[in-house]
Amino acid sequence: MSRIQQCFENLRSEGRKALIPYVTAGDPDPSMTLPLMHALVEAGANIIELGIPFSDPMADGPVIQQAMERALLHGVSLRQVLEMVRSFREQNQTTPVVLMGYLNPMERMGYETFAREAAEAGVDGVLTVDLPPEEADDVIGFFKQYELDCIFLMSPTTTLNRARRICEQASGYVYYVSLKGVTGSSALNVTDVATKLEGLRTVTDLPIGVGFGIRDGESAAAVGKVADGVVVGSVLVNKIATYANQPQQARDAIVATIRDMRQAMDR
Amino acid sequence: MSDSNPIDFSAVPDQRGHFGPYGGRFVSETLMDALEELESLYNRLSVDPDFQAEFDRDLAHYVGRPSPLYLAERLTAKVGGAQIYLKREDLNHTGAHKVNNTIGQALLAKHMGKPRVIAETGAGQHGVATATVAARLGLKCQVYMGAEDVQRQSLNVYRMKLLGAEVIPVTSGSKTLKDAMNEAMRDWVTNVDDTFYIIGTVAGPHPYPKLVRDFQCVIGREARQQCLDQTGELPDALVACVGGGSNAIGLFHPFLEDSAVQMYGVEAGGRGIETGQHAAPLCAGLPGVLHGNRTYLMSDDAGQIVETHSVSAGLDYPGVGPEHSWLKDIGRVNYVSITDDEALAAFRELTRIEGIMPALESSHAVAYGMKLAATMRQDQRIVINLSGRGDKDIHTVAGIDGISI
């Protein structure tokens, strides 16, 4: 059983939902990331999504774009991100780590090399924003070979037929994007999400994480009622922008947000 | 290529939009449904005689087609080699080939009932062409343009505003065309229900590279017939500049099966390929994935897209249409480069010797065409695609001359 499956199994038996924070690796500089990952786990995170900086993040809003630009200023790219995961695994062997990013850095490294090195570093899953299942045949074989879960996105525009095709390729969990837009978009409609998830559950038994538009304990708890996992990104990354050059304050603010969400979800 | 084993150029792209290993549809999930809808609509309309008639009528009476094929006699005499013909896309309404495509895509938007169009633009020619058709059809129009390009193409920015479009400067990344395209994609993913994204070149996710090519092929179909009418023969060579590559594919495609016709795609060599400051992914890049398709790209060892440089905003792009990547690999088209300085010299030369002021983009094709013609016999003929007129570049050229106007 993969670390991700195990994680969802454990939570299910406890009647709890996964809290899945996203941070961009290397933001605002490489020294921030490792202590932040441990602090996130300490504050109640169950899975960590670690963003791979990319020069052209087409699906991201300004908050995560700027995070990636900060990381890229320090030369943080895919290889450095794998090193961070390797370091994280020296102290933590249980919390799943999912890499989230765009295809070109992986293509440039070579899919087999990437899959092998990611698995060796202790990565559990990969979510590639610009890789729909139609184009994924070459890539997925290597991910499966090295036992990396393939996390795919689904969105409000995904028909049930497409969802069925996506779920045939997916493993670990699927990530439902709650609204049409980029990361950091405004309010989500939980009723719409609930309706959509009911449909998706008829085509897959995989856990469903929901992200986009989750800002605080209240929205996390509301989504947690209908989803198996709650993904939160821009609101955390925004703390790093707010506390520029004050890593301790940024980390404290992020930890406080995650604690709020954890408490609200477990209430 | 051997005639015994001809490539079926009409068979690409395949049903999933692949040109060999290139092309495809690499976008986030939210856009997949919209792209499938566009694909099925286009598959239907592209064989619908009424749609084609409507498109042809607009090209004739609104754009002013056919554009002339002009024998540049003084330029030919100066170069002293092959006869140089110019395909005068600069004479189209709005001053460039871009309008062929925006007319076509605006008709698609109309058929889909979308009240709003968006576009990305580099030099501003595609933005102007989009704003123009939006004005004509009464569509709301927003154009994304890199902040650096807004500066160097201020004339086109104001033209778009006069046409009723809103120009949104993009300040992320390198502040040029690629960033404008990122921002347009972000807009589209957010407003996909009511918005049609008019992509300006033969790049992006399937079916864009195919449908933009189809709309631009009017250039090559006309040039082929005009050449036969004027000379009784096909030309020996074709030359066109390549940024994303829409004017080049438009000229080349109808000649692909004429194996005796040589083709040259001219990329922006910037300050020289050896300096790294250029925009020539086919000459000096590697395959990768950006903006929805797999194609040759300029990226570093870590897969980050690198900043490009060209004096010409319309060529200042790190990728290229996927069909060009395929045509390079199979050896059907030769891809070469021309530096900023060579392009500027050609801009001045054509202006002074023929009274035709080419866009800086097209000046790259003129520069290479002159070099090529000089190596050929006087009974041979080349066609250079004069993809746009140079009025928009007068500020840039004046600036280089140290003159402020």
Side-chain angles (χ1 to χ4, degrees), chain B residues 66-79:
Chain B
S67 68
L69 183 72
Y70 165 74
L71 173 59
E73 290 185 61
R74 291 237 298 152
L75 187 67
T76 298
K78 173 89 190 288
V79 170

Side-chain angles (χ1 to χ4, degrees), chain A residues 57 107-108 134-135 180, chain B residues 16 25 186 193 294 300:
Chain A
E107 174 142 331
R108 191 60 185 266
E134 284 85 344
E135 300 287 355
K180 296 168 199 159
Chain B
R16 288 164 57 201
R25 188 178 277 166
R186 291 176 188 128
D193 291 335
R294 178 176 285 118
D300 65 17

Side-chain angles (χ1 to χ4, degrees), chain B residues 70-114:
Chain B
Y70 165 74
L71 173 59
E73 290 185 61
R74 291 237 298 152
L75 187 67
T76 298
K78 173 89 190 288
V79 170
Q83 295 161 53
I84 299 172
Y85 287 78
L86 303 176
K87 179 61 174 165
R88 299 290 309 275
E89 292 298 299
D90 60 315
L91 294 177
N92 292 339
H93 180 44
T94 73
H97 72 290
K98 293 290 189 187
V99 72
N100 303 328
N101 167 47
T102 60
I103 291 271
Q105 289 197 50
L107 287 178
L108 295 179
K110 198 174 86 174
H111 278 266
M112 291 175 104
K114 306 273 186 183

Side-chain angles (χ1 to χ4, degrees), chain A residues 53-58 60 65 69 72 77 104-105 107-108 129-130 132 134-135 153 155 157-158 162 180-181, chain B residues 16 18 24-26 28-30 36 173 178 182 186 189 193 286 288-289 291 294 299-300 302-305:
Chain A
F54 183 52
S55 52
D56 293 79
M58 281 185 338
D60 285 296
Q65 285 172 47
E69 287 181 11
L72 286 169
S77 274
N104 200 52
E107 174 142 331
R108 191 60 185 266
V129 179
D130 53 354
E134 284 85 344
E135 300 287 355
L153 296 173
S155 86
T157 60
T158 305
R162 269 193 68 76
K180 296 168 199 159
Chain B
R16 288 164 57 201
H18 293 132
R25 188 178 277 166
F26 296 88
S28 58
E29 175 59 26
T30 309
E36 283 174 8
K178 81 171 173 75
N182 290 336
R186 291 176 188 128
V189 87
D193 291 335
L286 286 170
V289 173
H291 291 153
R294 178 176 285 118
S299 71
D300 65 17
Q304 307 295 348
I305 308 305

Side-chain angles (χ1 to χ4, degrees), chain A residues 44-45 67 87 89 123 138 197 234 237:
Chain A
S87 304
R89 281 281 168 256
V123 170
D138 298 346
L197 260 49
S234 291
V237 174

